[in-house]
Amino acid sequence: MTQSLLTPSHAKQTISLGSNYSDPTPKKGIQGMIDAYQSKSGNTVKVNTTEHNTYQTNITRYLQGNPDDVAAWFAGYRMQFFASKGYLADISDVWSGLQGFNDALKNASTGADGKQYFVPIYQYPWGMFYRKTLFDSKGYKPPATWDDLITLAKQMQKDGLTPIGFADKDGWPAMGTFDYINMRKNGYQFHVDLMAGKESWTSDKVKNVGTSFGKKEVGLIVFGTPHVVLQAPTPADVDDSILFPFPAIDPANGVDSVEAPIDGFMVPKKAKNLTGAKDLAKYIGSADAENAYLKVDNSNVAVNSGADTSAYTSMQKQAIGLTQKAKSISQYMDRDTRPDFAQTVMISAIQSFIDKHSPSDIDALCTNIEAQKKSIFANPVS
Amino acid sequence: MVAPPVPTVEATAPRTTPVRRGRRRRLTARDILVLSVVVGVTVVLDLALIWGTSVVSVLLSFTNYDGISPIKWVGIKNYHDILTINPEFGTAVRNNLLWLVFLGLIATPFGIFLAVLLDRQLRFSRFYQSALYLPVALSLAVIGFLTQLILSQDQGVVNAILGRTHGNGIDFLGDSRLNIWMVLLFAGWRHVGYIMILYLAGLKSVDPALKEAAVIDGANPVQTFLRVVFPAMRPINVIVLVITVIESLRAFDIVYAINTGRNGLQLLSVLVVDNIIGEASRIGYGSAIAVMLMLVTLGFVITYLVNILREDSR
């Protein structure tokens, strides 16, 4: 405190930033954003980058131990969990000065106690992708409904193509497909309640999801935009990939929900330079910061309505079309539920969904998930 | 733990007394100091790092500790949950047992067989020896990566040789019914070399006169090995057995390198790590799995010690 009396508040500060943006492009994007902040504020930011899986695995110990002043993380339940445990600093005062965020974004940044703990920087919708050249040459059309999708998948099989693209070595990509089938069949609210442990996994609604999933009727590929953009061999491959919403299953739900995880930053309670951390958080919440980041990494879309969208690629335009039309935006299974449940139960359960075929297998699996859910959710979060 | 054979004590006491008298030595003050420091430090480290942590694990296994919230006692709930509703536990136990059976019945005997062959002074014996021993120099994690290079569905060597490169490759590592066998094959590849070199060293120390005597008595090579050499190698046999058991129970790195031990490649060690480390932080629950793994290990260790002590006291 004495120090802040002696040094004026606009004096040069050093702020540390913990980042999990370890792939080359996102890493450059963060550096671009930080450079812009440094030249604007005169403060120095030290970026500590950790490989992203390692970062996520160690987050509990990181927040408890010796965290940076500002730390990269994910919006939604995955952030609220740590807020409830008392490991994040309340940044409601920063939020009161932020502009350009809608209510959905604010909710995703708010903890269970109604205070804000998170500043979003971008989001990326998940959807289905297809190759335009391939579809044109075969005369396929992107499916709008579940029936269309099944017809298309059958046609593709007849033509000797594999209609399914799954990459489930890490366990999480299939979660997106499960989420989508669930939201299309049962609606957004059911998804939220199921993830929060309020709905039963043994209900017929879940079993129906399991059955569709287990039959491997799902064709094409469900992915987030960065997975396509950052991993495609050439830019031409990206332009050739067309994103379309996951088809409707129950007309009552239509295609009103989109899964679009939000990434951003939070301030750990143990931050050494809280003033500096809040100043940086405030900058990250500005349209300028998003522009600086997205200038380098064009696989995501801005969340701030003030951000510049004029230079968007066709993929980004499609992505923003998807999120703007959405009535509700879900995060992602492992971001909408408790980490102890997502990590130890759901990853293996979803992998089993892919393997199981008969309804009795799915019954057994659902009963088991429910039993484990009850046991884990019996532990209060805070 | 192991009761000494009580009845023999009285009978042997008079006989051993005179022998001991001549062996008594006087320790200087310096000897005592050095001894107590050396032994003391070891004992303290052993207590703190091995017994201390084990006891803490056992205690934690009866709580719901998550690394953040206050610790709450939950009794045997963790054990009950693991045994009743954790589908991965059964798979992990099965895989650990498969590992034990595969190494114990196939890889270890094969390693012994190779050692016996190499001991017969074949031509290029040094070359075979190095070639077989080479994988032991690699860590199992590295072997995990090699496994991926060789067996990957779209870029693997095997699928390329089979001409299955256009989306029709065999999913050796992704198919949960197949992948454990592939991993065992590669883990066994390394284990064979390890056992071979151990056994070869042991064979060199067997008195050649024993073998010559057996041959003169008309024993064929198989009989010579099974009846004469094998029993004479008892200390090495015990070491090989213990190593095989330990390798099977501590297996971890190879599956973790391949797919972090999921989808058919679960092992007890992986379940412990997944629950305790990582975002989940189910420390109490993971400790309960670790305790069960420890009990199984102790089972083997105690059986082994009982055998050794019984033989030595004979």
Side-chain angles (χ1 to χ4, degrees):
Chain A
M1 279 304 112
T2 347
Q3 212 175 4
S4 64
L5 289 175
L6 293 174
T7 53
S9 62
H10 58 266
K12 306 261 183 292
Q13 305 196 30
T14 305
I15 307 158
S16 67
L17 177 86
S19 161
N20 61 346
Y21 295 70
S22 53
D23 290 343
T25 310
K27 194 174 175 181
K28 257 188 264 167
I30 289 296
Q31 200 52 54
M33 181 185 87
I34 291 304
D35 290 345
Y37 171 72
Q38 292 186 137
S39 59
K40 186 171 164 265
S41 66
N43 291 343
T44 312
V45 178
K46 201 171 152 284
V47 182
N48 298 318
T49 307
T50 311
E51 193 278 320
H52 55 91
N53 276 328
T54 314
Y55 183 90
Q56 281 146 232
T57 305
N58 289 325
I59 188 72
T60 311
R61 267 160 295 143
Y62 171 76
L63 291 176
Q64 277 178 284
N66 201 8
D68 295 298
D69 297 327
V70 177
W73 200 238
F74 315 106
Y77 203 99
R78 210 167 172 180
M79 169 278 296
Q80 289 169 357
F81 183 78
F82 292 109
S84 311
K85 298 260 182 195
Y87 281 84
L88 305 183
D90 171 15
I91 50 169
S92 304
D93 50 341
V94 173
W95 261 86
S96 60
L98 295 180
Q99 282 168 353
F101 290 127
N102 60 23
D103 281 352
L105 287 162
K106 190 166 183 177
N107 287 340
S109 312
T110 303
D113 57 0
K115 293 172 182 160
Q116 281 75 46
Y117 293 95
F118 184 86
V119 185
I121 175 153
Y122 62 69
Q123 63 183 356
Y124 52 96
W126 284 58
M128 300 194 101
F129 288 90
Y130 66 90
R131 306 280 303 220
K132 191 170 177 301
T133 42
L134 176 78
F135 268 51
D136 287 351
S137 70
K138 301 268 185 189
Y140 299 153
K141 281 200 178 71
T145 68
W146 190 247
D147 292 339
D148 291 353
L149 179 64
I150 291 167
T151 322
L152 175 65
K154 285 192 179 135
Q155 183 60 43
M156 286 171 99
Q157 251 164 353
K158 220 182 278 169
D159 294 348
L161 295 165
T162 314
I164 311 148
F166 254 140
D168 201 28
K169 206 178 81 170
D170 289 335
W172 52 264
M175 287 179 170
T177 313
F178 181 91
D179 285 351
Y180 261 129
I181 301 180
N182 187 24
M183 289 193 295
R184 294 291 184 257
K185 263 188 156 67
N186 302 318
Y188 174 72
Q189 196 52 44
F190 183 81
H191 164 80
V192 171
D193 291 343
L194 183 67
M195 291 302 130
K198 289 179 202 152
E199 287 284 351
S200 167
W201 282 85
T202 51
S203 74
D204 285 343
K205 289 181 165 184
V206 178
K207 285 179 186 163
N208 288 337
V209 175
T211 328
S212 312
F213 203 33
K215 278 186 206 152
K216 302 202 183 184
E217 286 168 345
V218 181
L220 309 156
I221 190 161
V222 179
F223 258 140
T225 48
H227 311 111
V228 174
V229 175
L230 294 177
Q231 288 169 14
T234 65
D237 287 320
V238 176
D239 289 339
D240 194 32
S241 305
I242 303 289
L243 169 72
F244 65 97
F246 197 90
I249 296 177
D250 184 339
N253 297 316
V255 292
D256 63 354
S257 354
V258 166
E259 187 138 275
I262 302 162
D263 288 357
F265 293 86
M266 57 192 187
V267 178
K269 196 161 253 173
K270 286 196 164 180
K272 286 176 204 68
N273 181 357
L274 191 61
T275 335
K278 283 188 174 175
D279 192 54
L280 178 57
K282 192 175 173 185
Y283 174 75
I284 292 172
S286 71
D288 284 355
E290 290 185 11
N291 290 340
Y293 179 82
L294 295 170
K295 203 162 79 185
V296 182
D297 177 5
N298 60 13
S299 64
N300 297 292
V301 294
V303 281
N304 194 310
S305 60
D308 179 17
T309 57
S310 57
Y312 270 13
T313 62
S314 74
M315 181 67 84
Q316 280 172 308
K317 281 181 195 141
Q318 295 174 40
I320 210 147
L322 217 55
T323 48
Q324 274 169 355
K325 271 183 254 160
K327 213 164 73 191
S328 7
I329 293 179
S330 63
Q331 291 299 297
Y332 196 69
M333 182 182 281
D334 64 358
R335 300 183 180 195
D336 276 343
T337 190
R338 298 170 59 139
D340 42 6
F341 182 61
Q343 304 290 319
T344 65
V345 179
M346 284 321 293
I347 289 180
S348 71
I350 292 289
Q351 279 171 335
S352 305
F353 263 125
I354 304 175
D355 282 346
K356 308 283 182 208
H357 302 277
S358 75
S360 65
D361 282 348
I362 289 180
D363 277 3
L365 185 63
C366 288
T367 312
N368 180 272
I369 298 174
E370 177 67 13
Q372 297 201 73
K373 180 206 90 179
K374 278 196 181 128
S375 170
I376 290 178
F377 279 77
N379 271 348
V381 173
S382 50
Chain B
M1 215 178 324
V2 184
V6 180
T8 58
V9 172
E10 278 167 38
T12 53
R15 190 164 50 85
T16 52
T17 318
V19 182
R20 283 219 177 130
R21 187 183 289 156
R23 285 185 158 211
R24 188 182 292 159
R25 261 189 286 151
R26 193 160 295 166
L27 295 172
T28 62
R30 194 160 154 250
D31 287 344
I32 294 175
L33 183 72
V34 170
L35 269 180
S36 43
V37 168
V38 170
V39 175
V41 168
T42 320
V43 168
V44 167
L45 285 180
D46 183 51
L47 283 179
L49 298 180
I50 299 181
W51 290 103
T53 46
S54 307
V55 170
V56 171
S57 288
V58 172
L59 290 178
L60 281 175
S61 73
F62 295 106
T63 70
N64 69 352
Y65 189 46
D66 64 358
I68 304 179
S69 317
I71 299 179
K72 206 177 100 200
W73 198 260
V74 294
I76 58 158
K77 178 173 180 290
N78 290 331
Y79 292 92
H80 181 261
D81 283 0
I82 290 166
L83 294 174
T84 52
I85 56 174
N86 189 335
E88 300 204 72
F89 183 72
T91 320
V93 169
R94 189 204 67 181
N95 286 347
N96 272 106
L97 286 178
L98 271 181
W99 214 282
L100 187 59
V101 168
F102 183 84
L103 291 192
L105 295 185
I106 297 174
T108 299
F110 190 60
I112 292 177
F113 175 68
L114 290 176
V116 173
L117 284 188
L118 287 172
D119 191 42
R120 299 172 70 89
Q121 308 298 338
L122 304 172
R123 248 214 261 186
F124 310 123
S125 145
R126 291 258 168 221
F127 169 76
Y128 296 135
Q129 208 173 309
S130 320
L132 289 167
Y133 188 67
L134 206 60
V136 185
L138 302 173
S139 109
L140 267 175
V142 174
I143 294 182
F145 294 122
L146 286 179
T147 311
Q148 285 183 301
L149 292 177
I150 295 172
L151 295 179
S152 142
Q153 190 179 11
D154 40 8
Q155 284 138 11
V157 178
V158 174
N159 276 319
I161 292 172
L162 295 175
R164 290 165 168 269
T165 46
H166 296 95
N168 59 351
I170 301 171
D171 196 3
F172 291 108
L173 298 174
D175 185 334
S176 55
R177 280 156 301 191
L178 206 56
N179 52 13
I180 185 71
W181 299 105
M182 297 300 132
V183 171
L184 283 176
L185 198 66
F186 279 83
W189 175 57
R190 180 176 185 273
H191 189 74
V192 165
Y194 192 11
I195 297 299
M196 179 213 66
I197 210 80
L198 268 179
Y199 219 78
L200 199 53
L203 283 173
K204 301 275 185 217
S205 67
V206 172
D207 187 354
L210 275 178
K211 280 187 260 181
E212 280 161 29
V215 173
I216 291 168
D217 286 348
N220 64 30
V222 176
Q223 284 171 323
T224 313
F225 177 73
L226 289 179
R227 304 271 174 82
V228 178
V229 178
F230 191 75
M233 298 261 299
R234 193 175 160 276
I236 300 287
N237 293 340
V238 170
I239 292 177
V240 163
L241 182 73
V242 170
I243 284 179
T244 303
V245 171
I246 291 179
E247 288 282 321
S248 323
L249 293 176
R250 73 162 190 196
F252 173 77
D253 24 16
I254 183 167
V255 297
Y256 215 74
I258 290 175
N259 71 354
T260 67
R262 286 174 179 151
N263 193 23
L265 294 187
Q266 291 91 339
L267 290 172
L268 287 172
S269 53
V270 170
L271 293 192
V272 174
V273 169
D274 273 355
N275 278 285
I276 293 185
I277 302 176
E279 225 182 306
S281 277
R282 294 172 82 188
I283 295 176
Y285 190 84
S287 297
I289 302 176
V291 168
M292 290 203 248
L293 180 58
M294 184 167 78
L295 288 179
V296 176
T297 317
L298 275 182
F300 282 103
V301 171
I302 289 172
T303 321
Y304 161 71
L305 282 179
V306 167
N307 272 321
I308 291 291
L309 292 175
R310 196 177 284 152
E311 301 252 337
D312 285 354
S313 65
R314 213 173 263 160

